């Protein structure tokens, strides 16, 4: 499903560089745009400007701990595992029910024990890390499937646009490397035990190309967002100087 467009604070983490970057990987190809910059530019071009200026590509420990859940599914399904000690976002019983649902997927074996993880991808236009690289499912020689692991919460029915853009970027880079079409990527939300498909539709590809143009065109501070809920969790909001209003302040006479 591809309807959702980022309109809420939760559509991307405060640190959208939620990719475990191979040492030096994002600095070796200076002409290529990092996946993380594309996600930031889609979320807020001004945030992307500040992050690039400060070379902010660090991944907080809290983000890493959530991402690690994506490699512990068999353990987390075990009733002997204490989920209250894990950074899951839903009650333990519901979490295990969701994992049981994921176990019905034809790619479950690879999803729960990926044959390749933290794979650096460099394409024609962009580069970055796919947290997992799964073999394709189907007859013949199906293409591999890149997976982006998000520490955030999923949209109710689809994928937030910044995450969709990053997933498309990963698929495009993988296709360039393998010299074959890669029509599908996945976005995984391990704290919620949710996996969403991102097919490279015309609409999603257009959003990716817009983010690419925006990122390449940033040469100075872009205009501020106006009264956007995206500003609340942004690390640069004070430096940016954007003014945010609470709902209470709007309702006051």
């Amino acid at each position: 499903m591809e309807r959702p467009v980022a309109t809420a604070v939760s559509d991307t983490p405060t640190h959208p560089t939620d990719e475990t970057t191979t040492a030096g990987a994002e600095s070796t190809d200076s002409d290529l745009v990092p996946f993380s910059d594309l996600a930031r530019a889609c979320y807020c071009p001004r945030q992307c400007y500040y992050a690039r200026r400060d070379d902010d590509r660090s991944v907080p420990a809290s983000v890493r701990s959530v991402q690690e859940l994506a490699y512990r599914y068999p353990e987390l399904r075990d009733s002997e595992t204490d989920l209250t000690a894990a950074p899951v976002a839903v009650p333990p019983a519901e979490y295990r029910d969701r994992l049981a649902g994921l176990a019905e997927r034809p790619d479950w074996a690879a999803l729960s024990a990926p044959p390749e993880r933290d794979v650096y991808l460099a394409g024609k236009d962009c580069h970055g890390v796919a947290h997992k690289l799964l073999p394709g499912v189907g007859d013949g020689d199906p293409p591999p499937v890149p997976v982006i692991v998000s520490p955030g919460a999923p949209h109710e029915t689809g994928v937030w646009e910044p995450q969709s853009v990053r997933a498309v970027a990963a698929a495009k880079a993988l296709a360039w490397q393998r010299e074959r079409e890669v029509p599908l990527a996945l976005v995984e939300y391990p704290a919620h035990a949710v996996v969403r498909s991102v097919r490279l539709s015309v609409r999603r590809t257009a959003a990716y190309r817009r983010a690419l143009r925006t990122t390449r065109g940033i040469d100075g501070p872009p205009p501020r967002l106006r009264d956007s809920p995206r500003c609340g969790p942004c690390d640069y909001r004070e430096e940016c100087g954007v003014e945010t209003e609470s709902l209470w302040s709007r309702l006051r006479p």
Side-chain angles (χ1 to χ4, degrees):
M1 184 171 293
E2 60 180 89
R3 288 187 304 100
V5 175
T7 57
V9 171
S10 60
D11 61 0
T12 194
T14 307
H15 294 267
T17 53
D18 58 350
E19 52 189 43
T20 307
T21 304
T22 302
E26 287 211 346
S27 61
T28 55
D29 299 299
S30 59
D31 294 334
L32 301 180
V33 177
F35 295 169
S36 53
D37 282 9
L38 290 171
R40 285 190 187 271
C42 182
Y43 186 73
C44 172
R46 194 174 177 94
Q47 184 189 86
C48 181
Y49 164 78
Y50 286 128
R52 291 203 310 193
R53 182 200 63 186
D54 297 345
D55 196 23
D56 179 10
R57 306 197 187 282
S58 60
V59 182
S62 59
V63 168
R64 292 186 186 277
S65 66
V66 172
Q67 289 177 324
E68 281 301 312
L69 295 174
Y71 308 99
R72 298 174 54 198
Y73 289 151
E75 172 195 351
L76 298 173
R77 287 188 72 190
D78 190 332
S79 60
E80 298 298 318
T81 300
D82 181 13
L83 291 186
T84 61
V88 301
V90 295
E94 182 179 353
Y95 191 80
R96 288 197 170 97
D97 284 345
R98 292 184 181 184
L99 286 180
L102 289 182
E104 299 297 320
R105 295 173 57 100
D107 59 358
W108 166 252
L111 193 69
S112 57
E116 297 181 81
R117 59 178 288 184
D118 299 335
V119 180
Y120 175 65
L121 303 173
K124 180 171 70 74
D125 298 308
C126 58
H127 68 151
V129 170
H131 298 105
K132 300 178 182 181
L133 194 56
L134 311 185
V137 175
D139 297 331
D141 182 25
V145 179
V147 182
I148 299 299
V149 177
S150 170
H155 187 277
E156 292 179 1
T157 56
V159 177
W160 299 110
E161 191 170 69
Q163 295 164 352
S164 170
V165 164
R166 178 181 294 165
V168 170
K172 292 279 190 184
L174 179 60
W176 180 264
Q177 282 193 181
R178 299 293 177 91
E179 298 183 339
R180 64 179 303 181
E181 183 181 9
V182 177
L184 175 70
L186 300 177
V187 178
E188 191 173 341
Y189 304 88
H192 296 259
V194 170
V195 177
R196 295 275 164 77
S197 296
V198 176
R199 297 196 176 275
L200 272 65
S201 64
V202 172
R203 180 179 179 182
R204 290 194 186 280
T205 301
Y208 158 76
R209 297 202 179 281
R210 283 196 303 273
L212 190 61
R213 288 194 301 271
T214 298
T215 306
R216 285 175 167 166
I218 295 175
D219 191 32
R224 298 179 180 88
L225 297 181
R226 288 185 174 274
D227 193 22
S228 171
R230 302 182 195 185
C231 300
C234 180
D235 288 342
Y236 301 101
R237 62 185 178 278
E238 292 187 5
E239 181 178 4
C240 177
V242 68
E243 294 183 4
T244 58
E245 281 189 294
S246 66
L247 177 60
W248 171 247
S249 66
R250 295 182 193 179
L251 295 175
R252 284 186 301 176

PDB file of all heavy atoms in Angstrom, residues 22-35:
ATOM      1  N   THR A  22      28.360   0.884   7.648  1.00  0.00           N
ATOM      2  CA  THR A  22      29.665   0.260   7.593  1.00  0.00           C
ATOM      3  C   THR A  22      30.741   1.340   7.719  1.00  0.00           C
ATOM      4  O   THR A  22      30.625   2.411   7.137  1.00  0.00           O
ATOM      5  CB  THR A  22      29.844  -0.487   6.260  1.00  0.00           C
ATOM      6  OG1 THR A  22      28.799  -1.446   6.140  1.00  0.00           O
ATOM      7  CG2 THR A  22      31.181  -1.174   6.191  1.00  0.00           C
ATOM      8  N   ALA A  23      31.755   1.061   8.477  1.00  0.00           N
ATOM      9  CA  ALA A  23      32.783   2.073   8.753  1.00  0.00           C
ATOM     10  C   ALA A  23      33.282   2.717   7.470  1.00  0.00           C
ATOM     11  O   ALA A  23      33.771   2.055   6.579  1.00  0.00           O
ATOM     12  CB  ALA A  23      33.947   1.426   9.497  1.00  0.00           C
ATOM     13  N   GLY A  24      33.094   4.021   7.396  1.00  0.00           N
ATOM     14  CA  GLY A  24      33.597   4.778   6.262  1.00  0.00           C
ATOM     15  C   GLY A  24      32.747   4.689   5.018  1.00  0.00           C
ATOM     16  O   GLY A  24      33.032   5.345   4.020  1.00  0.00           O
ATOM     17  N   ALA A  25      31.664   3.890   5.048  1.00  0.00           N
ATOM     18  CA  ALA A  25      30.923   3.623   3.817  1.00  0.00           C
ATOM     19  C   ALA A  25      30.299   4.867   3.241  1.00  0.00           C
ATOM     20  O   ALA A  25      30.306   5.067   2.030  1.00  0.00           O
ATOM     21  CB  ALA A  25      29.845   2.573   4.083  1.00  0.00           C
ATOM     22  N   GLU A  26      29.731   5.731   4.108  1.00  0.00           N
ATOM     23  CA  GLU A  26      29.007   6.871   3.584  1.00  0.00           C
ATOM     24  C   GLU A  26      29.932   8.015   3.194  1.00  0.00           C
ATOM     25  O   GLU A  26      29.473   9.068   2.786  1.00  0.00           O
ATOM     26  CB  GLU A  26      27.963   7.344   4.605  1.00  0.00           C
ATOM     27  CG  GLU A  26      26.773   6.404   4.695  1.00  0.00           C
ATOM     28  CD  GLU A  26      25.503   7.126   5.056  1.00  0.00           C
ATOM     29  OE1 GLU A  26      25.586   8.291   5.486  1.00  0.00           O
ATOM     30  OE2 GLU A  26      24.432   6.549   4.914  1.00  0.00           O
ATOM     31  N   SER A  27      31.236   7.829   3.325  1.00  0.00           N
ATOM     32  CA  SER A  27      32.148   8.904   2.943  1.00  0.00           C
ATOM     33  C   SER A  27      33.045   8.514   1.773  1.00  0.00           C
ATOM     34  O   SER A  27      33.845   9.307   1.317  1.00  0.00           O
ATOM     35  CB  SER A  27      33.012   9.298   4.146  1.00  0.00           C
ATOM     36  OG  SER A  27      33.783   8.202   4.577  1.00  0.00           O
ATOM     37  N   THR A  28      32.909   7.263   1.276  1.00  0.00           N
ATOM     38  CA  THR A  28      33.803   6.818   0.232  1.00  0.00           C
ATOM     39  C   THR A  28      33.358   7.256  -1.149  1.00  0.00           C
ATOM     40  O   THR A  28      34.165   7.373  -2.061  1.00  0.00           O
ATOM     41  CB  THR A  28      33.924   5.288   0.260  1.00  0.00           C
ATOM     42  OG1 THR A  28      32.601   4.724   0.159  1.00  0.00           O
ATOM     43  CG2 THR A  28      34.571   4.817   1.553  1.00  0.00           C
ATOM     44  N   ASP A  29      32.060   7.486  -1.344  1.00  0.00           N
ATOM     45  CA  ASP A  29      31.543   7.856  -2.654  1.00  0.00           C
ATOM     46  C   ASP A  29      30.955   9.263  -2.572  1.00  0.00           C
ATOM     47  O   ASP A  29      29.763   9.442  -2.377  1.00  0.00           O
ATOM     48  CB  ASP A  29      30.487   6.846  -3.105  1.00  0.00           C
ATOM     49  CG  ASP A  29      31.055   5.445  -3.238  1.00  0.00           C
ATOM     50  OD1 ASP A  29      31.964   5.274  -4.063  1.00  0.00           O
ATOM     51  OD2 ASP A  29      30.603   4.549  -2.528  1.00  0.00           O
ATOM     52  N   SER A  30      31.829  10.247  -2.743  1.00  0.00           N
ATOM     53  CA  SER A  30      31.429  11.625  -2.460  1.00  0.00           C
ATOM     54  C   SER A  30      30.368  12.148  -3.414  1.00  0.00           C
ATOM     55  O   SER A  30      29.662  13.102  -3.092  1.00  0.00           O
ATOM     56  CB  SER A  30      32.667  12.533  -2.498  1.00  0.00           C
ATOM     57  OG  SER A  30      33.300  12.455  -3.774  1.00  0.00           O
ATOM     58  N   ASP A  31      30.242  11.564  -4.581  1.00  0.00           N
ATOM     59  CA  ASP A  31      29.252  12.046  -5.537  1.00  0.00           C
ATOM     60  C   ASP A  31      27.880  11.414  -5.324  1.00  0.00           C
ATOM     61  O   ASP A  31      26.914  11.815  -5.967  1.00  0.00           O
ATOM     62  CB  ASP A  31      29.710  11.760  -6.973  1.00  0.00           C
ATOM     63  CG  ASP A  31      30.945  12.563  -7.347  1.00  0.00           C
ATOM     64  OD1 ASP A  31      31.143  13.637  -6.741  1.00  0.00           O
ATOM     65  OD2 ASP A  31      31.698  12.116  -8.219  1.00  0.00           O
ATOM     66  N   LEU A  32      27.802  10.434  -4.445  1.00  0.00           N
ATOM     67  CA  LEU A  32      26.545   9.747  -4.198  1.00  0.00           C
ATOM     68  C   LEU A  32      25.854  10.329  -2.966  1.00  0.00           C
ATOM     69  O   LEU A  32      26.502  10.765  -2.026  1.00  0.00           O
ATOM     70  CB  LEU A  32      26.785   8.247  -3.994  1.00  0.00           C
ATOM     71  CG  LEU A  32      27.462   7.509  -5.154  1.00  0.00           C
ATOM     72  CD1 LEU A  32      27.632   6.030  -4.806  1.00  0.00           C
ATOM     73  CD2 LEU A  32      26.661   7.668  -6.441  1.00  0.00           C
ATOM     74  N   VAL A  33      24.542  10.312  -2.985  1.00  0.00           N
ATOM     75  CA  VAL A  33      23.752  10.849  -1.874  1.00  0.00           C
ATOM     76  C   VAL A  33      23.467   9.730  -0.877  1.00  0.00           C
ATOM     77  O   VAL A  33      22.971   8.666  -1.267  1.00  0.00           O
ATOM     78  CB  VAL A  33      22.423  11.429  -2.393  1.00  0.00           C
ATOM     79  CG1 VAL A  33      21.567  11.922  -1.227  1.00  0.00           C
ATOM     80  CG2 VAL A  33      22.688  12.561  -3.377  1.00  0.00           C
ATOM     81  N   PRO A  34      23.778   9.930   0.399  1.00  0.00           N
ATOM     82  CA  PRO A  34      23.476   8.900   1.397  1.00  0.00           C
ATOM     83  C   PRO A  34      21.968   8.673   1.544  1.00  0.00           C
ATOM     84  O   PRO A  34      21.173   9.621   1.434  1.00  0.00           O
ATOM     85  CB  PRO A  34      24.060   9.472   2.694  1.00  0.00           C
ATOM     86  CG  PRO A  34      25.084  10.465   2.249  1.00  0.00           C
ATOM     87  CD  PRO A  34      24.537  11.055   0.989  1.00  0.00           C
ATOM     88  N   PHE A  35      21.581   7.446   1.804  1.00  0.00           N
ATOM     89  CA  PHE A  35      20.173   7.143   2.049  1.00  0.00           C
ATOM     90  C   PHE A  35      19.610   8.041   3.151  1.00  0.00           C
ATOM     91  O   PHE A  35      18.478   8.518   3.072  1.00  0.00           O
ATOM     92  CB  PHE A  35      20.006   5.681   2.510  1.00  0.00           C
ATOM     93  CG  PHE A  35      20.379   4.635   1.495  1.00  0.00           C
ATOM     94  CD1 PHE A  35      20.491   3.314   1.882  1.00  0.00           C
ATOM     95  CD2 PHE A  35      20.616   4.956   0.167  1.00  0.00           C
ATOM     96  CE1 PHE A  35      20.837   2.324   0.965  1.00  0.00           C
ATOM     97  CE2 PHE A  35      20.971   3.985  -0.757  1.00  0.00           C
ATOM     98  CZ  PHE A  35      21.073   2.655  -0.355  1.00  0.00           C
TER      99      PHE A  35
END
